[in-house]
Amino acid sequence: MKLAVISFTGAGAGWCRRLVEHFQKSGVICEGYVQPRFFAGAGVRQSGLYPVTESVREWTGRHFSQVDGLIYIGAVGIAVRAVAPFLYDKLADPAVVVMDDAGHYAVSLLSGHVGGANELTRMVAGICGAQPVITTATDVNGKLAIDVWATKRGLRIGDRRQAKQVAAALLEEKPVGFFSDFPLSEPLPAGCFYGLAGEQNVWLTVRTQPDSQEDLLKNLAAEGRLLRLLPRLLILGIGCRRGMAKEQIEEMASRILKEARLERCAISALASIERKRDEEGICRLAKEWDVPFVTFSAKQLEQIQESVEESAFVRQVTGTGNVCERAALAGAGAGGRLLVRKKAENGVTVAVALAEWGSGACRRRGEWTGWQK
């Protein structure tokens, strides 16, 4: 988590220092910004504390897309006017919390659920002894919002309109059906019933649509009563000739996913052999799709036990008889399996593996060795 705190008064500077110190001790990246005339009193030597010389709007614009949460210590109106020009999407905007400079109230202002402002508000209130002010209906009524449940598990929401309908059904205590392509050992949100159709329904999947024989899911989807929650469990293994354009690789990858009815936003990473670490086309695709590009040595790929299609030519060139299938499986980790075997065309090969649910693949972004954007 990365946070930025700004204050406008002498009292606010003290709270700013306190929040920065507490979050940093907790392992959170946190920077605090104080008006220059209060800077020395707030702790000039403290790491992560800086004087702010720009306007609050300029400060907000500089940080809005770079942090997970913004904390304003001052009037709510200041924060509202500051963030208004930069609001984009509830699924992408950072959490915004406001605390008065007397430390009485901490207010969840923006992105309470998906952005985590409600949780951040409780943290700020706990640190400063303030009263948390949270106005989202599910929290007020003691219900768990489906987007909160999904976000905590690294799931992407397939359709926000349907997510609102599911949230409304849960709030009104109407039964919600829950279906999953993966075995679940954890409790479902209160009000959800596994395997039974409700007025609204949730489907945990990496697929774009149900199979032809899944009549119940097909009907629910056709009626607009099926919300897909998408775990990032797909690993796209890629091999290609040196110098292939990003567009050629993307066209092949997108077509393979479409033919297999697999959701692109369920991809956790692109994977290949170590010699492709600097392959511009794959690197550009990973950056555009906002996923890591992880690579493995030929020796690591050779350790994959699952049966794959071998090529003597590929082995001669790379040191392993199959790059894309082995790379996909290596990225998926223990328990992973191939969903789409190698397909090759015009110098590009693609395979898709599925990581095991609960393996942490959907939370691994940026943590693997050998990844780059």
Side-chain angles (χ1 to χ4, degrees):
M1 180 185 290
K2 186 176 182 180
L3 304 175
V5 188
I6 188 170
S7 63
F8 312 102
T9 65
W15 291 119
C16 184
R17 177 195 58 75
R18 183 171 179 174
L19 287 170
V20 170
E21 183 178 17
H22 188 281
F23 280 120
Q24 287 185 345
K25 286 182 178 178
S26 301
V28 174
I29 300 172
C30 184
E31 295 180 347
Y33 294 82
V34 176
Q35 296 297 314
R37 64 185 182 277
F38 305 122
F39 183 58
V44 67
R45 297 182 182 278
Q46 181 176 331
S47 174
L49 207 61
Y50 307 96
V52 58
T53 56
E54 59 198 333
S55 71
V56 63
R57 176 170 175 168
E58 291 171 333
W59 180 89
T60 300
R62 187 160 58 88
H63 287 88
F64 196 81
S65 62
Q66 304 300 315
V67 299
D68 301 299
L70 295 169
I71 302 171
Y72 295 80
I73 303 176
V76 167
I78 294 176
V80 169
R81 291 184 177 90
V83 302
F86 308 105
L87 301 183
Y88 173 69
D89 188 292
K90 67 175 289 184
L91 300 182
D93 292 339
V96 177
V97 174
V98 184
M99 188 179 78
D100 65 275
D101 71 356
H104 293 316
Y105 300 101
V107 182
S108 176
L109 186 66
L110 181 72
S111 297
H113 286 160
V114 176
N118 291 352
E119 184 176 355
L120 182 58
T121 295
R122 294 185 182 99
M123 293 170 68
V124 169
I127 295 167
C128 300
Q131 175 68 40
V133 178
I134 296 170
T135 58
T136 44
T138 48
D139 294 86
V140 170
N141 289 276
K143 306 292 185 181
L144 178 63
I146 194 66
D147 50 3
V148 172
W149 190 88
T151 299
K152 287 184 176 180
R153 288 156 181 80
L155 308 176
R156 291 190 174 183
I157 296 171
D159 186 294
R160 71 186 65 192
R161 179 187 60 83
Q162 290 176 333
K164 289 180 180 179
Q165 293 174 345
V166 170
L170 290 171
L171 187 60
E172 296 167 13
E173 299 187 345
K174 296 177 180 178
V176 170
F178 198 103
F179 303 86
S180 177
D181 290 347
F182 312 100
L184 293 177
S185 58
E186 56 188 304
L188 299 180
C192 290
F193 299 88
Y194 193 87
L196 300 175
E199 183 173 307
Q200 295 296 326
N201 302 272
V202 174
W203 180 28
L204 189 63
T205 186
V206 295
R207 294 184 283 161
T208 56
Q209 61 190 57
D211 291 335
S212 57
Q213 69 272 20
E214 295 174 304
D215 293 334
L216 178 56
L217 290 177
K218 279 178 55 183
N219 292 336
L220 293 174
E223 295 166 3
R225 296 194 291 139
L226 188 62
L227 168 67
R228 289 181 306 134
L229 297 182
L230 303 157
R232 301 176 192 180
L233 296 176
L234 298 181
I235 311 296
L236 204 65
I238 300 178
C240 69
R241 290 200 302 262
R242 177 64 69 179
M244 295 295 293
K246 186 273 294 184
E247 291 75 16
Q248 293 173 288
I249 300 171
E250 182 175 25
E251 190 279 331
M252 180 69 169
S254 297
R255 180 151 49 86
I256 296 304
L257 291 171
K258 183 177 180 180
E259 290 173 356
R261 299 195 305 277
L262 295 174
E263 183 64 66
R264 195 186 89 177
C265 68
I267 293 175
S268 175
L270 308 186
S272 192
I273 194 168
E274 195 170 44
R275 61 186 288 148
K276 292 294 182 182
R277 176 188 292 268
D278 61 349
E279 185 69 49
E280 183 178 353
I282 306 177
C283 292
R284 287 182 57 202
L285 181 61
K287 183 175 182 180
E288 188 171 303
W289 284 10
D290 192 26
V291 296
F293 173 33
V294 59
T295 60
F296 301 91
S297 67
K299 183 177 181 180
Q300 287 174 307
L301 296 182
E302 283 292 285
Q303 293 173 1
I304 299 299
Q305 297 299 309
E306 185 166 333
S307 175
V308 298
E309 181 182 340
E310 297 281 345
S311 164
F313 174 76
V314 172
R315 179 174 293 281
Q316 181 180 3
V317 173
T318 67
T320 180
N322 183 303
V323 170
C324 65
E325 290 182 348
R326 290 184 183 275
L329 287 166
R337 60 187 177 89
L338 279 177
L339 288 185
V340 180
R341 290 201 169 269
K342 178 180 74 173
K343 295 183 183 295
E345 188 175 305
N346 298 325
V348 181
T349 60
V350 175
V352 185
L354 176 71
E356 189 174 50
W357 171 254
S359 66
C362 56
R363 296 181 176 86
R364 285 178 178 169
R365 298 179 59 195
E367 298 177 0
W368 294 355
T369 57
W371 76 277
Q372 56 182 300
K373 283 183 154 187

